[in-house]
Amino acid sequence: MSAPEGAPGPLSLNTATVRDQWNLAQAIEGCARHGIPGISPWRDKVAALGLAQAARHIRDAGLFVSGLCRGGAFPAADATGRRAAIDDNLRAIEEAHALGARCLVVLGGGLPPGSKDLPGARAMFHDGLAEVLPVARAAGVTLALEPLHPMTCADRSVLTTLAQALDLCDALGDGLGIALDVYHVWWDPMLAQQVARAGRRIAAFHVCDWLVPTTDLVFDRGMPGDGVIDIPAIRAMAEAAGYAGCCELELLSRRWWQEDPDQVLLRAKAAHAAAC
Ligand code: ZN
């Protein structure tokens, strides 16, 4: 069993961390310049550069792709919307495959506009996932379910706990995994049990910190070490469960988006070494 004081896995930069400062080419070059070995791009950044060019540029820089953000969001108001979400996920699977991503991060999506039917939205998530899963399996792309903090249930994620995500993994079988994001799961009284239950299904480990007070429920995340999450303890749980992958910094923060991106990466490296 790994100790919390052991070294974290290699650092990967989720491009949301420098979303407002850098396009994908700049983020790739920034990682290479700062010796950050991994990257996790968002699909809008990949589209802006072009999929083939993004894949080539990442490969030429010698970076691994810890994940592609993101798919999921299957709940929709009508059949047309549900079909569009499924088609979008099929494209995301292709993109993840082309990039050699270790997983496609899959979010729940919120309630359809005007709806109060939470069980219905969760059923749509299940059904959409079940529909795209065979394609993901054939492509060798792991769909990493990322439960988000329940505060985002209405508009971002009807998938809110590790237990719920693992129930889906159990029900639907091979090809699914978990994206364990400390920001979203740190509060969960069942965290230790559910991380152990996840075992080798943990496909991604996302870090940032929960600031007190937090000023925005989505865009005020902290650099690891600046908040209240015991990240090394959660990492130790993941490693004890069999996770041996990287540590992906995903820092959605209006504050950090105003900083010089090279300074952000320097701080990220220090935080990764000291607080992850
Ligand atoms: Zn995340």
Side-chain angles (χ1 to χ4, degrees):
M1 182 156 165
S2 306
E5 62 269 22
L11 180 60
S12 176
L13 179 75
N14 186 297
T15 62
T17 304
V18 287
R19 183 189 86 174
D20 286 7
Q21 301 102 314
W22 277 346
N23 61 32
L24 182 54
Q26 291 170 311
I28 294 165
E29 287 152 21
C31 284
R33 190 162 62 246
H34 289 275
I36 294 172
I39 194 164
S40 178
W42 282 48
R43 292 178 64 207
D44 58 336
K45 300 275 190 185
V46 172
L49 183 56
L51 178 61
Q53 195 174 342
R56 189 165 53 242
H57 200 151
I58 291 169
R59 206 166 44 238
D60 289 350
L63 305 177
F64 65 83
V65 179
S66 55
L68 176 66
C69 290
R70 56 205 185 168
F74 295 108
D78 55 26
T80 305
R82 288 192 288 279
R83 186 68 242 168
I86 286 165
D87 290 343
D88 186 57
N89 275 269
L90 296 176
R91 285 190 294 274
I93 290 165
E94 270 182 42
E95 292 163 21
H97 177 73
L99 291 167
R102 292 179 180 179
C103 63
L104 172 65
V105 173
V106 169
L107 267 59
L111 287 169
S115 172
K116 297 184 180 183
D117 183 6
L118 183 53
R122 287 180 168 149
M124 284 188 256
F125 180 76
H126 169 281
D127 293 351
L129 192 61
E131 183 153 348
V132 303
L133 184 55
V135 177
R137 281 189 194 126
V141 171
T142 297
L143 302 181
L145 307 184
E146 180 169 350
L148 299 193
H149 194 288
M151 69 188 176
T152 66
C153 188
D155 55 351
R156 300 171 81 86
S157 179
V158 297
L159 179 66
T160 52
T161 66
L162 276 173
Q164 186 191 356
L166 287 165
D167 286 348
L168 283 163
C169 291
D170 288 346
L172 295 174
D174 286 348
L176 294 177
I178 296 290
L180 183 68
D181 187 325
V182 300
Y183 184 78
H184 293 296
V185 301
W186 70 278
W187 58 272
D188 188 343
M190 301 298 286
L191 179 61
Q193 287 133 287
Q194 295 301 322
V195 170
R197 176 186 167 197
R200 297 195 171 271
R201 291 179 290 191
I202 301 170
F205 183 64
H206 297 176
V207 298
C208 67
D209 217 333
W210 188 281
L211 301 177
V212 180
T214 187
T215 61
D216 185 298
L217 297 180
V218 179
F219 299 122
D220 185 37
R221 302 184 199 195
M223 191 66 83
D226 288 353
V228 297
I229 303 176
D230 188 346
I231 298 171
I234 300 174
R235 175 171 62 78
M237 290 176 200
E239 288 173 358
Y243 180 72
C246 70
C247 194
E248 178 180 320
L249 178 71
E250 184 184 33
L251 182 57
L252 288 82
S253 162
R254 292 203 171 96
R255 186 210 141 182
W256 285 100
W257 287 335
Q258 290 173 22
E259 301 286 334
D260 176 281
D262 281 293
Q263 292 301 318
V264 176
L265 265 54
L266 286 171
R267 272 296 309 272
K269 286 174 67 179
H272 171 246
C276 291

